[in-house]
């Protein structure tokens, strides 16, 4: 829903220095070649591999390492596999600009289903006629269908150099499982209207569009107000979705621009414009297609006028995927093998030991000898559905070796797994880079990483294989059990709504434990959780004695509204796609908030049958060893209940009475050590809270005394006043000490900052010696009335 002028701007950006052969890049164009497997007739040195032409980098200087290049040979070619048959609107080709640009003149673009070297047999889309320095040629294909796009120089001996190839499809295609990479990230805005209008509200996962409920960012009225989010590192941005205010003043957002890039100069205004907001109705949701625009920062700015900027939620969809909280690493400590081993220190098993250290000399990276097409593979033990593969590159040297490596998933070990389908290609290979390759449900027992088409060493410092969906953690609490439920109609007395929350998964309807509506238009069922919960997942048990296919396409919604059977709730958690006999579908909600969970069959007349519905609250797993209070207090202090119903922890609080530091101390009674004294008293005057001075980005840190795998961090807020100050505070875990704690990975962000709130931030085993709490991007005071750290494993 971008403005027409914004779409024209996008077209002009793509068309600059371009030989436009009769087509404009269509609105919401999608680059289907980005990161896809590529091959070429030969390789001029290992720095000129085919993958360079689909890495998202249009740098036209060959020496900078982002151009594909063949040897000088007869009719050289290059080809990309789009992964499936596509209707191609246009192919955009970036030429070399430092020398030899004339070589590309006359190159043909072919589109069809014949792969690689046979690409010349596919239909010709067009020919490149403009081959000036750094030229950007748009070749129009008018919807020509095919899986492979091939460029070749016909009829002569020459070198083929391609600095980027973009294959444009029509529209902003949906990306199943695509992540919101903005959620919980560091944010800032030009000003803040009041204590409930913080910048962090726009990335808290709550799409409530009523500003008074405290989940919208809101600036003061000023000239060209701005808001931006730091995604932590450079992402390839697919789309930005913005939820507008609905209780009033929604027109303020009209014309707001979305910028994406790596610069914070002028608050991101100098970064490229992805698009602008045109639809500004009450509570409107605008999706701006960015089509692979790369950047670390996403900024939203109202240009050229004085106004308020109100954002109730900002979701940034990346073309890669980020594993959700609690995602299970299927590869951890599984059997692994590789084509060769450089030395005893480079064993294949090092890449699945759970240690992300990128320094090869520290002994936690695999490494092969230098050889043609080296490979590494892990056996998951059985066939799994893979959402993503995360690959950690070497940090100390030689990181470029991983560029172009392919990730394969399948059930065959033929060719050491390289005959299995390709999930994706690694294109980002900076020092210590972490590449997330989205596999979107590709199934297989074996995951293989291989470097195709050249002699190389393969070094992997960690490989994680993330299962599709979300793994419900052991001991997770079902908050729907026994709660009041209702449905659109009842078939008979044995089919009431309460049957679906009775704790019985028996899926034979005749046994009397399934809810069952009559056949009617859009039947629905709903449970009242009693209060607002943060929902991790919803499990739905289907009928197995008959008619199981009826559940297919049912929507699961989470929210606080009862209007229109829960349809007005801001976000659908997911859709049930597996509707086999007695199927158990896990729909991942990843922290959606709401009091009501509704299941409805949209758009058709049908029967809704549910044999059990379990609503799993966000939280951490119960740890082995039984149930003990999360915070044992001294005898004279009152005991408190566990920090979280899902965090009944027998393991000790490893932060208690450890050495703590902070950026400053407000006075003698606010020492850092007060936050690890074992006392959760939230009244600062009682002398058990740490407290900094008011300063820019205050921090507090605890030294655990050794490296730990951290399961969760529990933070007790002040309850007598000023509790809002803690909102947006980041929790970091890692090996960088005290004042450098901001360099450690972020475990999570505190979004609930009510009076005396007790926030449990789940770290899922993140390793590190230091835990740091800091308030980013603003001047504030940091007060902590207790910080508890729980470890799932012994010292690392």
């Amino acid at each position: 829903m971008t403005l027409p002028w914004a779409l024209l701007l996008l077209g002009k950006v793509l068309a600059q220095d371009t030989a436009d052969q009769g087509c404009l890049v269509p609105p919401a164009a999608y680059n289907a070649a980005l990161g896809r497997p590529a091959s070429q007739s030969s390789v001029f040195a290992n720095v000129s591999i085919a993958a360079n032409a689909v890495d998202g980098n249009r740098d036209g200087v060959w020496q900078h390492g982002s151009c594909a290049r063949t040897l000088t040979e007869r009719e050289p070619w290059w080809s990309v596999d789009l992964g499936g048959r596509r209707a191609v609107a246009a192919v955009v080709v970036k030429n070399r600009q430092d020398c030899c640009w004339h070589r590309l003149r006359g190159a043909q673009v072919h589109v069809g289903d014949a792969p690689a070297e046979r690409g010349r047999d596919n239909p010709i889309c067009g020919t490149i006629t403009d081959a000036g320095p750094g030229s950007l040629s748009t070749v129009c294909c008018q919807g020509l269908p095919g899986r492979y796009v091939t460029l070749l120089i016909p009829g002569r001996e020459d070198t083929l150099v391609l600095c980027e190839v973009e294959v444009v499809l029509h529209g902003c295609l949906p990306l199943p499982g695509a992540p919101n990479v903005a959620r919980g990230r560091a944010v800032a805005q030009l000003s803040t209207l009041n204590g409930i209008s913080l910048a962090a509200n726009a990335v808290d996962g709550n799409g409530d569009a009523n500003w008074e409920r405290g989940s919208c960012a809101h600036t003061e009225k000023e000239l060209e107000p701005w808001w931006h989010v730091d995604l932590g590192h450079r992402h390839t941005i697919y789309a930005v979705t913005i939820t507008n205010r609905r209780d009033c003043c929604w027109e303020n957002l009209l014309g707001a621009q979305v910028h994406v890039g790596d610069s914070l100069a002028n608050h991101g205004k100098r970064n490229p414009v992805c698009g602008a907001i045109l639809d500004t109705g009450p509570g409107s949701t605008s999706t701006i297609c960015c089509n692979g625009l790369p950047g670390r920062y996403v900024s939203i700015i109202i240009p050229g006028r004085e106004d308020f900027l109100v954002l109730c939620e900002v979701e940034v969809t990346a073309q890669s995927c980020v594993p959700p909280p609690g995602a299970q690493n299927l590869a951890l400590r599984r059997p692994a093998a590789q084509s060769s081993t450089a030395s005893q220190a480079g064993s294949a098993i090092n890449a699945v030991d759970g240690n992300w250290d990128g320094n090869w000399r520290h002994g936690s990276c695999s490494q092969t000898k230098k050889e043609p097409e080296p490979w590494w593979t892990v056996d998951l033990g059985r066939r799994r559905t893979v959402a993503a593969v995360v690959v950690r590159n070497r940090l100390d040297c030689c990181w470029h070796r991983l560029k172009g490596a392919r990730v394969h998933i399948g059930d065959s070990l033929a060719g050491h797994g390289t005959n299995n389908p390709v999930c994706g290609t690694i294109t980002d290979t900076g020092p210590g880079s972490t590449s997330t390759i989205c596999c979107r449900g590709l199934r297989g027992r074996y995951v293989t990483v291989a470097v195709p088409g050249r002699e190389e060493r393969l070094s992997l410092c960690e490989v994680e294989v993330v299962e599709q969906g979300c793994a419900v953690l052991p001991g997770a609490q079902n908050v729907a059990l026994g709660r009041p439920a209702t449905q659109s109609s009842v078939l008979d007395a044995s089919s009431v709504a309460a049957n679906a929350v009775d704790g019985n998964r028996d899926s034979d309807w005749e046994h009397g434990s399934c809810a069952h509506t009559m056949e009617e238009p859009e039947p629905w069922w709903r449970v009242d959780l009693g209060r607002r919960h943060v929902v991790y997942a919803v499990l739905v048990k289907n009928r197995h004695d008959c008619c199981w296919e009826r559940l297919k396409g049912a929507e699961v919604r989470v929210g606080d509204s009862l209007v229109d059977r829960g349809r007005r709730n801001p976000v659908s958690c997911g859709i049930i796609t597996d509707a086999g006999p007695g199927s158990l579908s896990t729909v991942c909600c990843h922290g959606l908030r709401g009091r009501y969970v509704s299941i409805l069959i949209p758009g058709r007349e049908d029967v809704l049958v549910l044999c059990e519905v379990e609503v799993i609250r966000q939280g951490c797993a119960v740890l082995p060893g039984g149930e003990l209070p999360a915070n044992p207090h001294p005898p004279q202090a009152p005991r408190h209940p566990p920090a979280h119903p899902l965090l009944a922890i027998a393991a000790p609080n490893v932060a208690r009475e450890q050495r703590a530091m902070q950026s400053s101390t407000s006075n003698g009674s606010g020492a850092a050590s007060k936050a690890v004294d074992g006392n959760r008293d939230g009244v600062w005057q009682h002398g058990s809270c740490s407290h900094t001075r008011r300063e820019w980005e205050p921090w507090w840190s605890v030294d655990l005394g050794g490296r730990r795998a951290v399961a969760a961090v529990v933070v007790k807020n002040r309850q007598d006043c000023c509790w809002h100050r803690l909102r947006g505070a980041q929790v970091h875990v890692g090996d960088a000490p005290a004042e450098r704690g901001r360099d450690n990975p972020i475990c999570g962000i505190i979004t609930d900052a009510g009076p005396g709130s007790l926030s449990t931030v789940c770290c899922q085993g993140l390793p590190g010696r230091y835990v740091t709490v800091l308030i980013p991007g603003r001047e504030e005071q940091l007060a902590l009335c207790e910080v508890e750290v729980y470890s799932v494993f012994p010292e690392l």
Side-chain angles (χ1 to χ4, degrees), residues 526 557-558 561-570 598 600:
R526 181 180 66 241
R557 290 186 168 263
V558 176
S561 171
L562 287 179
V563 176
D564 194 15
R565 296 160 287 177
R567 282 178 180 273
R568 301 280 179 89
N569 285 324
S598 303
L600 62 93

Side-chain angles (χ1 to χ4, degrees), residues 273-305:
V273 176
C274 167
I277 296 171
L278 175 62
D279 176 12
T280 56
S284 58
T285 300
S286 300
T287 299
I288 310 298
C289 295
C290 298
N291 308 312
L293 199 58
R296 174 174 177 170
Y297 303 101
V298 174
S299 303
I300 300 173
I301 299 161
I302 297 179
R305 71 177 192 263

Side-chain angles (χ1 to χ4, degrees), residues 32-318:
L34 188 68
R36 294 300 309 167
S39 55
Q40 58 192 20
S41 51
S42 62
V43 179
F44 180 88
N46 283 350
V47 297
S48 302
I49 59 177
N52 289 354
V54 289
D55 64 357
N57 184 353
R58 283 186 179 170
D59 190 328
V61 178
W62 173 75
Q63 290 89 341
H64 293 173
S66 185
C67 300
R69 180 177 175 178
T70 70
L71 300 171
T72 300
E73 58 191 333
R74 179 77 179 169
E75 296 195 332
W77 58 264
W78 176 97
S79 183
V80 61
D81 178 357
L82 304 181
R85 204 165 198 245
R86 310 283 193 210
V88 177
V91 177
V92 181
V93 182
K94 175 68 176 180
N95 196 3
R96 183 171 177 176
Q97 70 189 52
D98 51 338
C99 91
C100 322
W101 44 81
H102 61 276
R103 290 173 172 167
L104 196 57
R105 181 169 276 133
Q108 295 175 345
V109 178
H110 296 250
V111 176
D113 296 322
E117 66 279 359
R118 286 185 37 238
R120 70 185 66 244
D121 301 333
N122 290 324
I124 295 177
C125 166
T127 302
I128 295 173
T129 55
D130 173 20
S135 58
L136 196 64
S137 299
T138 301
V139 180
C140 300
C141 298
Q142 311 295 346
L144 194 60
R147 175 172 178 169
Y148 300 93
V149 173
T150 301
L151 278 86
L152 67 91
I153 298 177
R156 71 178 193 261
E157 188 173 290
D158 212 330
T159 299
L160 176 61
V161 183
L162 301 168
C163 293
E164 193 69 12
V165 177
E166 299 170 17
V167 178
V168 179
L169 306 182
H170 290 280
C172 200
L173 299 180
L175 293 179
N180 171 16
V181 293
R183 184 165 176 191
R185 299 300 310 173
V187 292
Q189 60 188 12
L190 177 56
S191 61
T192 302
L193 183 66
N194 58 26
I196 65 166
S197 303
L198 301 177
N201 293 353
V203 290
D204 64 357
N206 183 356
D208 191 327
N210 187 327
W211 169 74
E212 293 181 349
R213 292 178 186 158
S215 185
C216 301
H218 197 312
T219 70
E220 295 175 353
K221 187 171 185 178
E222 51 201 328
L223 182 63
E224 297 197 330
W226 56 265
W227 175 98
H228 70 71
V229 58
D230 178 356
L231 304 179
H233 63 87
R234 203 174 202 226
H235 284 275
T236 304
I237 305 303
Y238 180 70
V240 178
T241 302
I242 300 164
T243 301
N244 196 3
R245 183 174 180 176
R246 81 159 149 250
D247 51 336
C248 92
C249 321
W250 45 82
E251 66 281 356
N252 291 350
L253 201 54
L254 183 65
Q257 293 177 347
V258 178
H259 296 249
V260 174
D262 294 320
S263 171
L264 280 181
N266 203 15
H267 313 295
K269 292 180 186 179
R270 296 182 186 173
N271 289 326
V273 176
C274 167
I277 296 171
L278 175 62
D279 176 12
T280 56
S284 58
T285 300
S286 300
T287 299
I288 310 298
C289 295
C290 298
N291 308 312
L293 199 58
R296 174 174 177 170
Y297 303 101
V298 174
S299 303
I300 300 173
I301 299 161
I302 297 179
R305 71 177 192 263
E306 188 176 294
D307 214 328
F308 295 98
L309 176 60
V310 185
L311 303 167
C312 292
E313 195 67 14
V314 178
E315 299 172 36
V316 179
T317 304

Side-chain angles (χ1 to χ4, degrees), residues 516-530:
H516 196 312
T517 71
M518 296 178 179
E519 185 164 352
E520 59 191 331
E522 299 193 329
W524 57 268
W525 176 97
R526 181 180 66 241
V527 62
D528 179 356
L529 304 179

Side-chain angles (χ1 to χ4, degrees), residues 439-462:
C439 300
R440 309 194 195 288
L442 200 58
R443 292 172 62 81
R445 174 174 176 170
Y446 303 101
V447 175
T448 300
V449 181
V451 177
R454 70 182 195 265
E455 188 174 287
E456 190 60 274
R457 296 179 199 266
L458 175 60
S459 187
L460 303 167
C461 293
E462 195 68 13

